[in-house]
């Protein structure tokens, strides 16, 4: 039964059934709007448009709530590890002990990349951004592991993607510094394996610091999903055309790269670096951010959904303090970040617009403490977001009655005009 009705000025109308979410969110179903009235909705940048229903992640931006499959992000960050959260997002439940062991073993066993793929790395210049390498490599996986329609093969490709992404990420770092690749080891867990591939040097022992493993697990968990953000929407859109898993996720990686999305973590550190050496300090940058024509924004501030606080930023702020003191790292950028946050949060411009630090504001400080170079930050985000993208890809693919995603537009160009020969234009 219709619960809302939309009347257009000329008496045309349409019944709008209401879809309610499990948290009582309300969606007006406009799927009959064009057929019944000839009109469409206009919602540039889709701030008011629900493009799907989803059972993966719940966010309440006013209350600062983020839950994966019903579990609070705070609980998951405190108590789970990243492979467990991958299982939760992709399979829908936290694993039992045997499921966890099986999932872990498979994620480890498929970590190696095809030897031929190593040749791809040789073709990139040493200055190549690791995000450029990562998206090319992930898309190339489809050449090695073509999709067939069996659920077993698809499941294997999901595991391959989760397992190999960290190897590809670490190899792209090694390539950028001209060091030989370090191969994965099957006796190590996801994060320890990644750290070793990143930082070990051949023929030298490499000790894995459990403090760093914990911190990285937490960072990856906090990035693992965030419902219909720009990159996830990209993944779902590409999936809706029937494109394979690797191609769709590679498109998501490209969408993540931009500085308004995942690229913000790199941009934050570059901004803090600038502020740290500028005698005019934070105040100058707060003022610049308030001047629209300056083209400058406070990176790591603001969010389309969170209007109160970003729960991930709160967790990371606490972790940054704790990690730096545990590792004995004295990073002057932490003090700059804290000062900038304090100044922004007491400024009317930021208060009125409800602009708070987002997940990217403190994540870079943590990555730096772990030793991850700045241009790898967005790659780290991509590794964390991988299970979320995969879960959404599966959900989109398996949605009953799902059609190719194809929005409409309101045309504002020239009306019909005659074609003229070149001497008469
Ligand atoms: N610095 C200064 N002003 C800002 C900022 C900022 N970081 N963010 C938003 N504003 C202002 C806008 O100029 C606008 O002001 P107005 O109402 O006077 O025109 C108002 O706040 C609303 O901003 P919008 O751009 O409409 O907000 P939107 O929801 O479209 O954008 C976004 C959200 C992209 C995150 C934005 O806040 C931003 O650019 N932040 C900086 C980049 C960043 O940190 N991105 C990471 C986001 S989190 C993630 O993707 C993981």
């Amino acid at each position: 039964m219709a619960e809302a009705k939309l009347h257009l000025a000329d008496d045309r109308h349409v019944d709008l059934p209401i879809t309610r979410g499990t948290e009582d969110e309300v969606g007006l179903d406009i799927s009959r709007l064009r057929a019944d009235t000839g009109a469409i909705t206009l919602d540039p940048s889709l701030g008011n448009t629900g493009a799907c229903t989803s059972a993966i992640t719940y966010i309440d931006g006013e209350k600062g709530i983020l839950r994966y499959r019903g579990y609070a992000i705070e609980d998951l960050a405190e108590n789970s590890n990243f492979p467990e959260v991958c299982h939760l997002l992709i399979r829908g439940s936290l694993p039992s002990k045997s499921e966890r062991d099986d999932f872990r073993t498979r994620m480890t066993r498929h970590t190696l990349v095809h030897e031929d793929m190593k040749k791809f790395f040789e073709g990139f210049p040493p200055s190549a951004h690791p995000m450029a390498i990562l998206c090319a490599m992930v898309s190339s996986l489809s050449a090695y592991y073509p999709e067939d329609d069996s659920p077993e093969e698809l499941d294997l490709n999901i595991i391959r993607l989760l397992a190999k992404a960290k190897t590809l990420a670490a190899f792209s770092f090694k390539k950028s510094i001209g060091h030989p690749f370090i191969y994965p080891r099957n006796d190590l867990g996801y994060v320890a394996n990644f750290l070793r591939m990143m930082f070990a040097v051949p023929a030298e022992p490499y000790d894995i610091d459990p403090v760093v493993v914990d911190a990285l697990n937490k960072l990856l968990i906090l990035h693992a999903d965030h419902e219909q953000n720009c990159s996830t929407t990209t993944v779902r859109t590409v999936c809706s055309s029937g494109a394979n898993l690797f191609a769709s996720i590679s498109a998501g990686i490209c969408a993540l790269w931009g500085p308004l999305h995942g690229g913000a973590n790199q941009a934050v550190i570059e901004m803090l670096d600038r502020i740290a050496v500028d005698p005019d300090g934070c105040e100058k940058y707060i003022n610049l951010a308030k001047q629209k024509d300056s083209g400058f924004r406070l990176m790591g501030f603001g969010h389309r959904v969170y209007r109160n606080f970003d729960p991930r930023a709160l967790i990371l702020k606490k972790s940054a303090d704790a990690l730096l003191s545990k590792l004995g790292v004295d990073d002057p950028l932490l003090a700059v970040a804290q000062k900038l946050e304090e100044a922004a949060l007491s400024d009317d411009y930021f208060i009125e617009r409800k602009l708070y630090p987002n997940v990217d504001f403190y994540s870079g400080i943590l990555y730096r403490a772990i030793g991850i170079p700045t241009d790898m930050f967005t790659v780290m985000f991509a590794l964390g977001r991988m299970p979320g993208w995969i879960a959404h890809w599966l959900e989109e693919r398996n949605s009953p009655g799902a059609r190719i995603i194809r929005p409409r537009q309101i045309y504002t160009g020239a009306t019909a005009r005659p074609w003229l020969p070149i001497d008469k234009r």
Side-chain angles (χ1 to χ4, degrees):
M1 197 182 81
E3 292 182 59
K5 205 179 262 285
L6 178 71
H7 287 274
L8 274 72
D10 57 5
D11 260 8
R12 285 176 298 168
H13 75 271
V14 63
D15 292 331
L16 304 174
I18 285 181
T19 298
R20 269 180 208 278
T22 47
E23 295 284 348
D24 236 12
E25 309 134 285
V26 173
L28 302 180
D29 179 346
I30 54 135
S31 47
R32 293 287 317 159
L33 180 63
R34 188 167 172 278
D36 289 358
T37 69
I40 60 168
T41 54
L42 184 61
D43 184 18
S45 66
L46 308 180
N48 291 293
T49 296
C52 60
T53 58
S54 178
I56 301 168
T57 286
Y58 174 68
I59 300 177
D60 182 330
E62 305 302 322
K63 295 189 185 137
I65 291 174
L66 169 60
R67 294 185 205 130
Y68 300 160
R69 304 270 188 199
Y71 296 99
I73 191 65
E74 292 81 3
D75 287 341
L76 292 169
E78 187 61 35
N79 303 310
S80 276
N81 59 33
F82 182 60
E84 206 172 64
V85 170
C86 291
H87 189 285
L88 172 67
L89 288 167
I90 294 167
R91 303 261 206 266
S93 61
L94 283 170
S96 64
K97 194 172 170 317
S98 63
E99 285 169 336
R100 185 198 61 193
D101 294 347
D102 176 58
F103 197 71
R104 236 193 226 160
T105 310
R106 295 181 74 214
M107 256 173 89
T108 307
R109 200 179 301 143
H110 293 282
T111 306
L112 272 176
V113 295
H114 197 290
E115 280 295 293
D116 287 353
M117 282 189 83
K118 277 172 50 193
K119 296 193 192 108
F120 294 4
F121 285 92
E122 289 162 22
F124 285 100
S127 58
H129 196 288
M131 283 295 275
I133 301 181
L134 186 67
C135 63
M137 289 297 177
V138 167
S139 147
S140 305
L141 287 173
S142 56
Y144 292 86
Y145 309 104
E147 194 174 291
D148 70 23
D149 276 340
S150 74
E152 295 75 24
E153 190 61 22
L154 178 57
D155 191 57
L156 184 54
N157 272 357
I158 287 171
I159 296 287
R160 282 176 175 139
L161 177 55
L162 286 171
K164 294 179 197 311
K166 65 176 179 305
T167 311
L168 295 171
F171 281 13
S172 68
F173 171 59
K174 289 293 194 192
K175 156 81 192 178
S176 73
I177 55 170
H179 281 191
F181 299 143
I182 301 291
Y183 280 56
R185 254 181 33 192
N186 282 2
D187 58 322
L188 294 176
Y190 182 100
V191 168
N193 227 335
F194 173 70
L195 287 168
R196 192 177 154 277
M197 287 192 281
M198 282 284 291
F199 299 120
V201 177
E204 277 185 30
Y206 175 73
D207 292 331
I208 293 159
D209 184 341
V211 170
V212 172
V213 172
D214 276 358
L216 201 46
N217 262 304
K218 195 171 283 196
L219 275 157
L220 294 171
I221 290 170
L222 292 176
H223 287 87
D225 193 39
H226 214 237
E227 50 117 302
Q228 310 309 317
N229 55 84
C230 175
S231 55
T232 302
T233 300
T234 302
V235 169
R236 290 189 81 124
T237 304
V238 177
C239 170
S240 79
S241 76
N244 70 62
L245 176 73
F246 302 118
S248 307
I249 303 293
S250 170
I253 295 171
C254 293
L256 185 76
W257 194 355
L260 297 189
H261 191 14
N265 54 16
Q266 175 171 347
V268 168
I269 294 298
E270 287 160 359
M271 174 186 76
L272 295 176
D273 267 333
R274 260 171 80 187
I275 299 176
V277 295
D278 193 324
D280 295 329
C282 294
E283 205 183 324
K284 171 174 161 189
Y285 292 87
I286 297 270
N287 287 333
L288 263 181
K290 295 195 287 190
Q291 290 160 25
K292 302 275 178 218
D293 56 0
S294 71
F296 177 80
R297 284 191 163 197
L298 271 199
M299 299 315 286
F301 258 77
H303 200 275
R304 172 65 62 80
V305 179
Y306 294 118
R307 293 298 177 195
N308 192 336
F309 62 93
D310 180 338
R312 304 166 300 172
L314 287 191
I315 299 171
L316 285 181
K317 187 180 178 183
K318 275 192 218 143
S319 306
D321 270 336
L323 182 73
L324 265 60
S325 69
K326 269 191 208 158
L327 295 179
V329 173
D330 180 19
D331 187 343
L333 292 196
L334 179 61
V336 178
Q338 285 165 340
K339 211 168 151 205
L340 187 68
E341 179 186 355
E342 211 178 297
L345 293 185
S346 56
D347 188 291
D348 284 346
Y349 174 95
F350 292 89
I351 295 169
E352 278 159 21
R353 289 169 181 75
K354 301 188 172 172
L355 301 171
Y356 296 88
N358 58 47
V359 68
D360 290 321
F361 194 67
Y362 282 103
S363 61
I365 305 272
L366 281 142
Y367 290 137
R368 271 161 69 94
I370 292 170
I372 291 173
T374 312
D375 66 358
M376 280 290 288
F377 289 0
T378 314
V379 169
M380 300 308 299
F381 193 151
L383 289 185
R385 187 54 55 87
M386 206 59 77
W389 286 331
I390 295 169
H392 283 274
W393 186 88
L394 282 170
E395 192 176 65
E396 180 68 35
R397 186 174 153 114
N398 297 329
S399 301
R403 299 160 76 203
I404 187 166
I405 295 176
R406 202 299 186 188
R408 296 269 175 177
Q409 64 166 17
I410 299 290
Y411 175 69
T412 57
T415 51
R417 46 184 166 168
W419 186 91
L420 298 172
I422 199 153
D423 54 337
K424 303 228 167 80
R425 287 174 204 163

